[in-house]
Amino acid sequence: MMNIHFFKFASFLYLFGTLAYLAYIFFLKGALSKIAVTIVSIGFASHTLALLTRYVEAGHTPVTNLHESLSFFAWMIIGILLMANLKYKVKVLGSFLTPIALTLMLFAFALPKEIFPLAPVLKSFWHPFHVIFAFLGNAIFTLTFCCGVMYLIQEHQLKSKKMGAITKRLPPLNLLDDLSYQSLKFGFPLLTLGIITGAVWAEYAWGRYWNWDPKETWSLITWLFYAALLHQRLTVGWRGRKAAMMAIVGFLAVLFTFLGVNLLLPGLHTYSNW
Amino acid sequence: MELLVVGLNHNTAPIKIRECLAFPEDKIEDALYKVHILPSVKESMIVSTCNRVEVYAATRETEKAIHDLKDFLSQYHGISLKEFEKSLYTHVGEEAVRHIFRVASSLDSMVLGEPQILGQIKEAYDFSQQVKTSGLILHRLLHRAFHVAKRVRTETKIAISAVSVSSVAVELAEKIFGTLKKKTVLLIGAGEMCELASRYLVSGGVEKILVTNRTYERAVSLAQEFRGEAIPFEDIAQGLKKTDIVISAANSAQYLIGHDQMTKTMKDRKQKPIFFIDIADPRDIEPKVGDIENVYLYNIDDLQKVANENIKDREKEAQRAEAIVQDEVVKFVNWYRSLDVTPTIVALRKKFEEIRKKELEKTLSLHPNLSDKEKKSLEALTSAIINKILHTPITLLKQTNEEAMADLYLDALHALFGLPEKSLETFLEKFEEAEEKEETHLENAL
């Protein structure tokens, strides 16, 4: 059970990384953000090993139950954070993303962690592609969500003419809007690919491309939502507050598709309940 | 050696006197030479900015040096001492150390926490180094001052927020647009504030300036001044489509820019954000414009309010900075007090050590059969005896703060143990070598 050890170690480091990031946003000391990045990077490496060892131990892509999905989602989020750190100098991003990843890890931690033999329906060439695309899209939308939250707070501060501790800690509006737009442009095609590969796989597994089970329906709703946001941005020049609010609502749809459907609505995707 | 500073600043002297006593940059070297040839002054440095004129010196004759420096100021500038003596302050010893630390950390500045002063002090120090009027004491003092300034800057938030209306405007613009590069500013009307704010924005990287005025000729001449582009007053609406920041100072009787017009303009702009700074009285821009999405409207009072709050913050931070200064003053004063006693302590230790070595060698040559272990315990025994004997006098020397007492002890030690003449200079030379390492380290840190 090497993978569990790596998983626990990663969770542990994410906890400290989150604390360092929160300390950073509070004290605004550059050293703290460097410490945080280092801790989270080591945590990410350990998490990667956890997934690899689990892959070897299970013999299939380890995204087949809720524990694995949550862990995979968190891994993707941290990966996106580390990548965004390379390109954008928005250090406070970590203060928003790591708590989300940590929460996912804690839920994953509490769930049964045993490896079960793969359900026959999941044995497919398409399965790994489907989950990787879908989760990568979701992880990027998490980033879009955080940008949206930061944007709304910052915009409120500037509109109400308060230039205080909060304004100082959050990035400029244009940067947030840009990052939000860029992430949308990356996230949307990935979500699309996730749905397409899912449909192809469904054709193999169930004999139909589209079954209108709740997971599929909600994915479609989420997809339409982001499509609308992207469309508005490209054509009407929607930006700023409206776009930020839509990014937040869109992420709620993502969460519902991912968790709500599993827990509340029965359907073909039920193997990922626990 | 005693440190002292003679000078005046914006608190003690009116601008007229400050101007009279200021040293232009090209005269500082010459002035430093003139200070340096005063026999009472060993080391010196001159700080001259528009808010302060100060001469720092290290001396052995404090009273005489103060007198000489005052005379120097008067003679150099050809003003009788009577005219400015009331404005002068003199700080000696610990107070002088505290003064330079506070000045370098911008705690003594007119605008608390303003960053220029540190650069000015560095410049003054560079001058004194070029003409070699600063020696070890000022050397060390200034490096500590830079260190203190750095601590204050990093450990307190004294310089973190903008405190002038113009800098608040720039800070806001940066919080909206991120970088100001490739941004366009539209100036409506003219005035000092307008000019100041646009200068700040240009230094912040703004690329293009559009200028408009009721009379087109005036707009053209203003545009030349800012190296911008003049547009007719009627074309403001057109201008609004291609600018990011608007500074309005037209004092128009009616609103120049209204809510409905701006809502339409925002559509044409594809909702690109725009930042209005209304410094006119009465206002040029309808306040409701600020409710439009992606429009940020600040008037002069809003900016002033932000600036005032930041000033209050700085004053709070200044108290924490004073604690840092105090901490560093104590450290420095301990160091420079120890300058008087350290050569004696070194000489005393050397003397005892020589005796110990000699006697130990004698004993060892008498007993050639001693084992290594026995030799070692003899070594340890003799060292321990010396250390025990010297412990009390050395501690006493280091702890004596009173100069007269310290001198008494020093003289007694030199007489009783026949120590070589106490020579601070030779000691300092050696000391300087050892210090160099730390200094390069400090410089790197800065």
Side-chain angles (χ1 to χ4, degrees):
Chain A
M1 297 304 266
M2 270 310 275
N3 75 82
I4 301 296
H5 295 303
F6 283 126
F7 172 81
K8 284 181 180 166
F9 187 55
S11 309
F12 194 66
L13 286 169
Y14 288 164
L15 171 66
F16 282 98
T18 305
L19 290 177
Y21 262 125
L22 294 179
Y24 167 72
I25 201 172
F26 191 75
F27 295 111
L28 286 183
K29 294 260 186 259
L32 282 170
S33 85
K34 277 185 198 145
I35 293 171
V37 172
T38 313
I39 298 176
V40 169
S41 302
I42 301 171
F44 184 69
S46 172
H47 201 166
T48 310
L49 285 174
L51 295 176
L52 285 176
T53 47
R54 195 167 175 103
Y55 178 78
V56 172
E57 284 166 30
H60 56 81
T61 316
V63 190
T64 55
N65 62 19
L66 196 54
H67 161 77
E68 291 177 343
S69 305
L70 287 166
S71 165
F72 193 66
F73 193 12
W75 181 72
M76 289 276 188
I77 290 176
I78 297 291
I80 294 296
L81 168 66
L82 294 176
M83 265 166 56
N85 269 345
L86 293 180
K87 189 155 186 287
Y88 289 88
K89 289 191 177 59
V90 187
K91 291 182 201 157
V92 289
L93 207 54
S95 313
F96 287 80
L97 279 174
T98 50
I100 297 177
L102 179 67
T103 313
L104 295 173
M105 289 299 267
L106 291 178
F107 275 118
F109 198 89
L111 292 169
K113 292 180 272 290
E114 294 79 25
I115 296 174
F116 288 108
L118 198 57
V121 64
L122 292 175
K123 274 184 200 146
S124 161
F125 168 76
W126 294 101
H127 171 243
F129 292 101
H130 170 60
V131 294
I132 287 174
F133 287 137
F135 276 104
L136 198 53
N138 287 353
I140 292 177
F141 286 142
T142 313
L143 173 69
T144 321
F145 163 75
C146 287
C147 290
V149 171
M150 284 192 265
Y151 188 97
L152 288 189
I153 300 173
Q154 183 72 301
E155 201 234 21
H156 177 75
Q157 294 291 313
L158 289 171
K159 279 274 189 189
S160 58
K161 294 165 188 178
K162 279 182 247 164
M163 275 267 283
I166 299 173
T167 318
K168 245 169 237 137
R169 283 167 172 75
L170 295 178
L173 289 178
N174 259 17
L175 181 60
L176 287 171
D177 196 54
D178 185 41
L179 189 52
S180 170
Y181 187 29
Q182 296 301 332
S183 57
L184 186 63
K185 282 200 292 197
F186 277 100
F188 184 70
L190 285 164
L191 178 66
T192 313
L193 280 174
I195 292 176
I196 292 172
T197 47
V200 173
W201 172 30
E203 158 70 13
Y204 281 93
W206 300 314
R208 273 162 67 187
Y209 284 104
W210 198 262
N211 298 288
W212 291 109
D213 94 311
K215 193 79 153 190
E216 288 170 350
T217 311
W218 275 94
S219 307
L220 186 65
I221 293 172
T222 310
W223 185 85
L224 285 172
F225 198 85
Y226 279 111
L229 173 54
L230 197 58
H231 174 266
Q232 292 300 87
R233 267 195 183 270
L234 283 169
T235 58
V236 194
W238 261 33
R239 57 193 289 128
R241 205 157 69 96
K242 278 186 199 144
M245 288 199 299
M246 272 192 91
I248 291 171
V249 178
F251 184 67
L252 294 181
V254 166
L255 281 187
F256 189 76
T257 309
F258 175 40
L259 295 173
V261 170
N262 287 359
L263 304 177
L264 303 175
L265 304 171
L268 291 170
H269 273 77
T270 40
Y271 43 78
S272 49
N273 273 9
W274 293 115
Chain B
M1 279 285 214
E2 196 69 271
L3 271 165
L4 67 90
V5 51
V6 175
L8 42 78
N9 65 16
H10 52 93
N11 282 328
T12 65
I15 181 137
K16 237 178 77 194
I17 292 187
R18 296 201 310 264
E19 270 172 2
C20 290
L21 290 181
F23 295 90
E25 206 169 300
D26 54 328
K27 293 278 171 58
I28 287 200
E29 286 189 20
D30 172 57
L32 274 172
Y33 278 124
K34 292 204 162 91
V35 173
H36 200 59
I37 52 172
L38 296 171
S40 59
V41 173
K42 294 284 172 215
E43 297 181 23
S44 55
M45 178 181 92
I46 294 176
V47 176
S48 178
T49 74
C50 49
N51 282 333
R52 66 181 66 245
V53 178
E54 291 173 336
V55 186
Y56 291 87
T59 174
R60 284 191 196 290
E61 307 155 88
T62 311
E63 289 309 313
K64 185 153 190 317
I66 293 171
H67 182 81
D68 287 352
L69 286 177
K70 284 182 181 172
D71 275 352
F72 157 77
L73 284 174
S74 146
Q75 275 166 19
Y76 192 91
H77 295 288
I79 313 164
S80 93
L81 187 55
K82 266 188 217 140
E83 277 184 53
F84 64 93
E85 196 169 16
K86 272 198 307 235
S87 306
L88 282 180
Y89 46 77
T90 308
H91 300 297
V92 178
E94 193 174 324
E95 285 312 308
V97 176
R98 174 169 297 113
H99 184 76
I100 179 89
F101 285 5
R102 292 188 73 241
V103 170
S105 322
S106 193
L107 292 171
D108 198 44
S109 298
M110 194 146 84
V111 178
L112 205 58
E114 58 94 5
Q116 282 95 337
I117 185 66
L118 185 60
Q120 289 161 337
I121 301 271
K122 274 184 186 157
E123 227 165 77
Y125 172 60
D126 285 345
F127 271 122
S128 73
Q129 279 210 304
Q130 273 163 32
V131 296
K132 299 206 167 60
T133 62
S134 59
L136 178 82
I137 305 239
L138 283 186
H139 208 59
R140 170 90 173 187
L141 177 71
L142 267 296
H143 278 107
R144 291 320 287 175
F146 300 149
H147 171 73
V148 178
K150 188 177 181 238
R151 269 193 71 189
V152 167
R153 226 177 26 221
T154 52
E155 291 175 31
T156 75
K157 298 183 186 107
I158 195 155
I160 210 164
S161 45
V163 290
S164 75
V165 167
S166 310
S167 52
V168 168
V170 172
E171 209 167 83
L172 274 168
E174 280 170 348
K175 274 297 171 193
I176 294 167
F177 300 110
T179 165
L180 295 184
K181 284 196 186 101
K182 294 198 183 148
K183 295 286 176 277
T184 304
V185 184
L186 169 64
L187 302 181
I188 304 175
E192 199 191 339
M193 260 303 302
C194 209
E195 218 168 286
L196 200 62
S198 50
R199 274 190 213 295
Y200 263 89
L201 288 168
V202 168
S203 67
V206 160
E207 194 173 69
K208 196 170 164 198
I209 295 187
L210 302 175
V211 186
T212 185
N213 203 286
R214 258 179 230 290
T215 48
Y216 187 66
E217 289 72 30
R218 177 101 174 94
V220 171
S221 74
L222 281 170
Q224 269 167 357
E225 203 178 311
F226 290 119
R227 275 185 244 138
E229 184 188 312
I231 60 171
F233 203 65
E234 303 76 48
D235 290 356
I236 287 183
Q238 285 301 313
L240 286 178
K241 285 182 192 165
K242 45 189 179 180
T243 62
D244 305 287
I245 302 165
V246 179
I247 304 176
S248 192
N251 304 330
S252 167
Q254 290 148 7
Y255 292 134
L256 288 176
I257 298 162
H259 180 268
D260 298 342
Q261 177 203 353
M262 201 55 219
T263 316
K264 255 181 29 216
T265 308
M266 284 311 282
K267 273 200 195 118
D268 296 334
R269 293 172 57 86
K270 285 205 150 196
Q271 301 297 326
K272 249 173 61 193
I274 186 164
F275 178 30
F276 286 101
I277 302 164
D278 189 351
I279 51 184
D281 185 25
R283 306 270 181 249
D284 288 341
I285 300 158
E286 189 179 353
K288 258 168 62 191
V289 167
D291 299 337
I292 303 171
E293 219 175 291
N294 298 316
V295 175
Y296 302 89
L297 167 63
Y298 279 68
N299 63 40
I300 184 87
D301 298 334
D302 299 330
L303 296 177
Q304 191 60 55
K305 223 173 90 192
V306 174
N308 287 348
E309 263 162 38
N310 288 347
I311 289 174
K312 267 190 240 151
D313 285 348
R314 280 197 181 189
E315 279 161 3
K316 261 186 249 154
E317 290 301 311
Q319 289 175 359
R320 294 181 48 211
E322 296 283 0
I324 293 174
V325 167
Q326 178 56 28
D327 180 40
E328 293 285 340
V329 167
V330 170
K331 275 193 216 162
F332 184 85
V333 168
N334 280 344
W335 171 78
Y336 113 125
R337 286 271 151 73
S338 75
L339 281 185
D340 287 336
V341 295
T342 311
T344 306
I345 292 172
V346 171
L348 196 62
R349 276 197 184 283
K350 202 172 151 214
K351 174 118 189 170
F352 273 58
E353 187 63 19
E354 274 166 11
I355 296 172
R356 185 186 74 86
K357 279 236 170 85
K358 232 190 210 161
E359 296 305 314
L360 192 64
E361 262 166 40
K362 262 193 224 162
T363 311
L364 289 181
S365 61
L366 286 177
H367 303 280
N369 297 330
L370 287 178
S371 71
D372 275 358
K373 204 180 161 193
E374 285 163 326
K375 280 183 194 165
K376 261 190 191 152
S377 35
L378 272 181
E379 182 90 22
L381 167 77
T382 49
S383 294
I385 290 175
I386 291 187
N387 285 337
K388 287 265 157 70
I389 292 174
L390 286 178
H391 179 75
T392 317
I394 286 177
T395 322
L396 186 68
L397 271 183
K398 280 185 176 166
Q399 284 171 352
T400 308
N401 287 327
E402 208 180 312
E403 210 162 319
M405 267 318 251
D407 277 346
L408 186 72
Y409 288 143
L410 290 178
D411 288 341
L413 278 171
H414 279 266
L416 289 173
F417 291 102
L419 299 179
E421 195 50 43
K422 45 177 174 175
S423 152
L424 184 58
E425 271 71 25
T426 45
F427 166 71
L428 285 185
E429 273 164 28
K430 276 186 208 156
F431 188 83
E432 203 158 359
E433 282 165 26
E435 285 284 282
E436 244 162 45
K437 249 189 195 170
E438 194 201 347
E439 266 152 25
T440 42
H441 170 74
L442 269 174
E443 267 160 27
N444 290 342
L446 286 167

